[in-house]
Amino acid sequence: MENIRFKALSAIMNRQPLRNQAEFRCNVEQFGEMTFGLEAMKKFLTEEAYKNLINSIERGDKIDRRIADQVAASLKAWAISKGATHYTHWFHPLTGNTAEKHDSFLDPAGDGKAIEKFKGSELVQQEPDASSFPSGGIRNTFEARGYTAWDPTSPAFILDSTLCIPTIFVSYTGEALDYKTPLLRALNEVDLAGKEVCKFLGFNESRVFATLGWEQEYFVVDAALYAARPDLMLTRRTVFGHASAKDQQLSDHYFGTIPTRIMDFMKEYEYEAHRLGIPVKTRHNEVAPNQYELAPVFEEVNLAIDHNQLMMHLLKRIAPKHNLVVLLHEKPFAKVNGSGKHNNWSLATGSGKNLLAPGKNEKENIRFLTFLTIVLKAVESNSDLLRAAIATASNDQRLGGHEAPPAIISAFVGSHLSQALEELASAGKVTPELKAELDMKISKIPGIMLDNTDRNRTSPFAFTGNKFEFRAVGSSQNCSTAMIALNLIMADQMKQFMKEVTQRIEAGQTKDEALFGLLAAWVNESSRIRFEGNCYSEEWKNEAARRGLSNHASAPEALAAYVTPQTIALFERNNVLNERELRARYDIKLERYVMELQIESRVMGDLATNHIIPIAIRYQNTLIENVKGLKEVIDNKTFVNLAKNQVSYIKEISEHISNIKIAVEEMTEERKKANAIDDNELKAAAYRDNVKPFFETIRHEVDKLEMMVDDELWPLPKYREMLFAH
Ligand code: ADP
Ligand code: MG
């Protein structure tokens, strides 16, 4: 019998370089050539249709049916000119992936011929039988229909000869079944409220929108090694594996030279990304061996998220061409860094201003301080929701692990800005003198910012000069949950701001008094979530507890924030999700948590029983044979001395085997008990408290065996192989 691990290793050694990479260089003309962007629209649409579509994109105007027919015809003509044969509505169901159902442009015409068909109605709306997507009980099977509806703010694109039309996905009764619907609703509220705040501060803006620049971390592993790791295949993480003698201790991987095969992979995905209009800009090695990062230039949130989803798809699809598999899991390998997806976020205006950037004059700086303070207050009031938005079983393995932000939500603004805020907070009644003093200080802000080069890498929510960086988002997540939460709380806080300044003015305060008074109050109130120190430290945990901040270590605990009366009211008053939709999402997230742990637990049991124990026994038998043989050839006295070590080695192996067996049996029992629980909250808690603890126990025993058993017998590719083969 051949050892599958050695087969995989020899496959790697016998590999030839794949192809000439010269073709994978995107020139300027090719950028975005596979998207129906402005240029293609101009070329393929009538002037009337073009204008109508642009208004719809920029102002959210409704597109009428006649125009939709024209757009569909042009879209089809464009797609076919690019070699497309099929079309699909492309949406973000609550599985976290994207979904597509392809239809051919060709329609049999009945006389043995076919015509090419794609009408406005097919562009604007479709009715996929989507009863197998998670809906959290919103759709019963008798009303299994879901509707997808065109989102013209994200351009259609061609992927694998298929025209993909970004859409929202809602139920027959109008409830959201996807991520995009509530996201667009939250962004709409940001627009409305943002314009009001700008107006109050003396700026008339046509539009306020949120921007997102994500940084995607990922691991790659050789495809042959991957195929020999059932745990990677089924759970995308290694449930066993002793640490490699060398991994990231020397910090020699971070920003190091990119290995050739990886570089070829990167060139190809960058090429495809650029043709799809994804502005990928940065690529580098990350901290752990075989861990990398890619980041585009920031875009409007909705588009940036579509691009991130598309990018994750491209990574997974292109890697196998290079005999690689991409792992987007937050913690594929124990004891080395996990992967996150920093979400750089800010607000911008139609006139091109970044609302979180210090300005050129006093008025702009007041605007900056106002928006900054609103963000801090929003985070302070809703930190539990932000924590909930990033809660998943896999992100639990990364958060708080001395390599990633802790589960405590705090914000970092830097010492200089912190000081400026403190001064603002301690300012009393706004007298003319005080106003003059504040103005002077505020006008100095850009200078302060330039000096402010200190950056805190440990904070989950850090201000980095002209944007906030939400660092707790997991690498495999759809950014939408984080972006829905962040933009929703921002919209809500902006509305609150308008309400409170108006009340103050109605009570007789001047505009300045009202503004500075409110900012001072909010700076004070939000000081409990501001933290400038090391968020990975024990001191911060204690300090945060003293400040009364939550520290939800596990996803089920954190997710509960989705259904508190406060959250439900927040979502409802901003028309983002109603209580039913919110509860459905909560249930889906809990179910997902349970299923992930359930699969991991089964994989662990299977592997331990079918892969590890048989090999350990085989090796143990060799040792036993060896001892027996020694006894035959050596005199008894010498043998007794010699055999002591051998026998204790055999005993040690026996103990590990027996510990594994016992733990797997007990874990299976606990799993059965947990599976019998109907209530999702209790079931998730049972998995967390009664099933998951066995993972560590079993792993510990298996990893010990890995160090004892003959390397030639060990069936699972080892960490040193998976992390260093490239
Ligand atoms: P790093 O965090 O690695 O030090 P930078 O701070 O230079 O890198 O930028 C990180 C990301 O922030 C980039 O992807 C960039 O596109 C994004 N970014 C820059 N400005 C904004 C903005 N106004 N809104 C959203 N994202 C932004
Ligand atoms: Mg970053």
Side-chain angles (χ1 to χ4, degrees):
M1 197 195 75
E2 216 178 333
N3 178 321
I4 183 169
R5 175 170 145 248
F6 279 91
K7 260 193 186 166
L9 288 173
S10 76
I12 297 176
M13 286 190 285
N14 292 328
R15 265 195 195 126
Q16 302 298 319
L18 283 180
R19 57 207 281 181
N20 180 7
Q21 289 291 304
E23 61 188 282
F24 294 122
R25 194 171 299 139
C26 191
N27 56 39
V28 179
E29 290 80 55
Q30 285 172 305
F31 186 87
E33 66 176 350
M34 299 312 261
T35 66
F36 196 63
L38 286 182
E39 219 170 285
M41 283 184 198
K42 261 200 194 126
K43 196 167 150 206
F44 283 83
L45 288 176
T46 63
E47 190 153 337
E48 187 198 16
Y50 178 77
K51 268 200 194 130
N52 206 297
L53 189 54
I54 293 293
N55 282 344
S56 159
I57 293 170
E58 285 178 356
R59 303 208 305 253
D61 294 359
K62 227 177 138 59
I63 292 180
D64 69 54
R65 261 294 148 58
R66 194 171 49 80
I67 298 292
D69 277 334
Q70 285 187 34
V71 175
S74 315
L75 201 50
K76 184 184 77 185
W78 169 77
I80 289 172
S81 81
K82 295 277 176 191
T85 55
H86 286 67
Y87 64 91
T88 178
H89 277 196
W90 183 83
F91 54 100
H92 304 211
L94 296 172
T95 55
N97 300 322
T98 50
E100 22 188 291
K101 172 179 160 266
H102 298 185
D103 281 307
S104 174
F105 281 124
L106 285 188
D107 229 23
D111 54 357
K113 294 206 174 99
I115 52 163
E116 277 165 347
K117 200 187 108 191
F118 179 62
K119 293 207 295 280
S121 52
E122 282 149 326
L123 164 67
V124 172
Q125 197 173 76
Q126 285 193 354
E127 200 186 299
D129 173 19
S131 50
S132 293
F133 288 114
S135 76
I138 279 187
R139 282 166 316 157
N140 301 316
T141 24
F142 65 85
E143 50 173 41
R145 281 175 295 173
Y147 284 108
T148 52
W150 183 30
D151 163 22
T153 59
S154 181
F157 56 90
I158 296 171
L159 190 66
D160 285 334
S161 330
T162 303
L163 171 67
C164 298
I165 301 151
T167 55
I168 58 164
F169 178 40
V170 293
S171 77
Y172 180 61
T173 43
E175 272 128 343
L177 295 173
D178 67 345
Y179 288 117
K180 202 189 254 284
T181 306
L183 178 78
L184 292 177
R185 290 177 187 159
L187 293 173
N188 186 45
E189 298 302 306
V190 164
D191 179 34
L192 297 175
K195 282 188 294 205
E196 288 298 310
V197 178
C198 284
K199 196 161 138 204
F200 175 78
L201 298 171
F203 300 89
N204 267 322
E205 295 291 353
S206 60
R207 210 159 83 86
V208 168
F209 58 94
T211 51
L212 166 65
W214 44 263
E215 303 167 52
Q216 177 73 55
E217 294 182 340
Y218 61 92
F219 278 85
V220 300
V221 54
D222 186 274
L225 297 173
Y226 172 86
R229 291 281 319 206
D231 50 353
L232 274 185
M233 275 197 279
L234 298 183
T235 71
R236 298 262 149 183
R237 81 173 179 100
T238 53
V239 297
F240 303 137
H242 194 282
S244 165
K246 171 187 185 288
D247 46 52
Q248 64 188 42
Q249 311 90 322
L250 302 178
S251 301
D252 51 356
H253 189 68
Y254 191 54
F255 286 5
T257 310
I258 300 171
T260 314
R261 176 149 65 119
I262 309 298
M263 193 60 163
D264 286 350
F265 165 54
M266 288 176 166
K267 279 183 189 163
E268 186 167 350
Y269 76 58
E270 280 181 1
Y271 172 76
E272 295 296 346
H274 286 159
R275 292 177 74 214
L276 283 162
I278 308 173
V280 173
K281 194 171 162 68
T282 310
R283 59 184 187 210
H284 63 78
N285 287 6
E286 259 303 325
V287 171
N290 258 347
Q291 188 190 27
Y292 305 91
E293 179 183 299
L294 83 103
V297 176
F298 68 94
E299 300 173 288
E300 277 194 50
V301 168
N302 179 36
L303 185 59
I305 291 179
D306 280 355
H307 280 167
N308 181 243
Q309 289 295 115
L310 198 49
M311 196 67 229
M312 291 195 285
H313 176 88
L314 284 182
L315 290 176
K316 287 189 212 159
R317 199 172 59 97
I318 294 171
K321 293 194 193 174
H322 301 264
N323 294 311
L324 295 168
V325 174
V326 162
L327 303 174
L328 296 172
H329 191 284
E330 282 73 7
K331 194 77 181 174
F333 300 100
K335 303 225 167 78
V336 297
N337 275 20
S339 300
K341 179 149 57 198
H342 294 177
N343 276 203
N344 295 275
W345 168 89
S346 189
L347 293 182
T349 69
S351 66
K353 296 279 176 330
N354 179 346
L355 295 173
L356 290 174
K360 286 191 286 299
N361 53 42
E362 185 202 320
K363 194 172 148 196
E364 288 183 354
N365 282 320
I366 289 175
R367 181 181 65 194
F368 163 63
L369 273 188
T370 303
F371 278 96
L372 183 75
T373 306
I374 296 176
V375 177
L376 293 172
K377 177 64 185 155
V379 172
E380 189 264 335
S381 309
N382 302 283
S383 57
D384 282 352
L385 176 60
L386 285 181
R387 169 67 184 94
I390 45 123
T392 61
S394 49
N395 212 16
D396 275 2
Q397 297 181 13
R398 180 180 81 103
L399 295 180
H402 288 274
E403 39 146 315
I408 308 162
I409 299 290
S410 65
F412 166 88
V413 293
S415 53
H416 290 87
L417 198 50
S418 222
Q419 202 187 332
L421 289 175
E422 290 306 332
E423 282 173 13
L424 180 66
S426 58
K429 195 171 156 36
V430 187
T431 58
E433 298 81 58
L434 182 63
K435 173 75 171 55
E437 199 187 317
L438 281 175
D439 285 352
M440 207 257 302
K441 281 188 178 138
I442 287 169
S443 65
K444 277 196 191 143
I445 280 175
I448 289 173
M449 300 293 302
L450 286 182
D451 294 344
N452 187 7
T453 44
D454 59 338
R455 278 205 177 190
N456 184 327
R457 291 264 154 213
T458 63
S459 175
F461 195 73
F463 184 70
T464 52
N466 57 5
K467 61 191 181 291
F468 275 92
E469 186 166 346
F470 190 17
R471 300 206 181 101
V473 184
S475 50
S476 69
Q477 281 182 290
N478 182 319
C479 303
S480 299
T481 49
M483 284 295 116
I484 291 166
L486 189 53
N487 289 294
L488 165 63
I489 66 175
M490 190 59 194
D492 193 67
Q493 205 64 48
M494 291 193 288
K495 291 180 194 173
Q496 192 61 30
F497 172 88
M498 286 312 298
K499 196 169 134 203
E500 293 198 23
V501 282
T502 310
Q503 277 168 357
R504 282 167 187 254
I505 291 168
E506 279 167 7
Q509 293 189 1
T510 67
K511 205 172 157 181
D512 276 344
E513 281 171 349
L515 171 63
F516 286 106
L518 181 59
L519 292 183
W522 282 8
V523 167
N524 269 323
E525 285 162 26
S526 60
S527 66
R528 69 187 194 111
I529 52 113
R530 265 191 284 129
F531 183 64
E532 303 291 307
N534 178 4
C535 294
Y536 297 176
S537 67
E538 273 312 302
E539 293 86 74
W540 170 230
K541 269 192 203 152
N542 300 331
E543 167 69 15
R546 258 197 305 282
R547 294 186 187 186
L549 301 179
S550 316
N551 183 4
H552 299 304
S554 78
E557 208 184 314
L559 288 170
Y562 266 117
V563 287
T564 58
Q566 189 197 344
T567 307
I568 293 170
L570 170 74
F571 273 86
E572 290 204 327
R573 73 174 169 263
N574 290 285
N575 312 310
V576 172
L577 289 172
N578 63 31
E579 180 168 356
R580 193 165 124 94
E581 291 170 313
L582 210 48
R583 288 196 183 278
R585 262 153 226 260
Y586 175 55
D587 271 342
I588 290 170
K589 282 172 190 278
L590 286 177
E591 272 167 23
R592 172 100 194 190
Y593 178 86
V594 165
M595 285 187 283
E596 281 184 17
L597 292 193
Q598 187 180 59
I599 294 170
E600 284 187 4
S601 163
R602 285 184 186 149
V603 167
M604 227 177 217
D606 289 358
L607 277 183
T609 313
N610 308 328
H611 285 60
I612 307 300
I613 292 180
I615 292 295
I617 290 176
R618 196 188 309 169
Y619 181 57
Q620 195 185 31
N621 284 340
T622 318
L623 295 177
I624 292 169
E625 285 308 310
N626 176 254
V627 174
K628 281 188 192 158
L630 280 178
K631 193 170 182 179
E632 275 173 27
V633 297
I634 305 178
D635 68 279
N636 207 31
K637 203 172 150 219
T638 324
F639 172 75
V640 170
N641 265 335
L642 269 180
K644 240 188 265 157
N645 286 335
Q646 300 270 73
V647 172
S648 82
Y649 207 71
I650 294 169
K651 272 194 199 150
E652 217 182 302
I653 291 178
S654 284
E655 271 164 34
H656 291 308
I657 292 174
S658 128
N659 289 346
I660 292 172
K661 269 191 88 142
I662 294 168
V664 169
E665 273 162 23
E666 288 178 5
M667 177 173 73
T668 311
E669 270 316 299
E670 290 299 337
R671 209 165 64 216
K672 279 188 192 151
K673 279 193 229 159
N675 290 344
I677 302 174
D678 277 333
D679 179 273
N680 274 338
E681 280 178 355
L682 295 177
K683 194 178 205 167
Y687 261 93
R688 178 194 61 203
D689 300 334
N690 307 333
V691 178
K692 199 176 165 212
F694 285 104
F695 293 5
E696 270 311 298
T697 322
I698 298 171
R699 176 171 199 140
H700 176 80
E701 303 290 337
V702 171
D703 291 357
K704 284 271 184 242
L705 281 177
E706 184 185 325
M707 288 293 102
M708 300 182 81
V709 170
D710 184 356
D711 184 66
E712 299 223 356
L713 292 178
W714 197 254
L716 298 176
K718 296 189 169 182
Y719 267 33
R720 61 166 183 259
E721 293 150 0
M722 290 183 288
L723 291 172
F724 289 95
H726 39 230

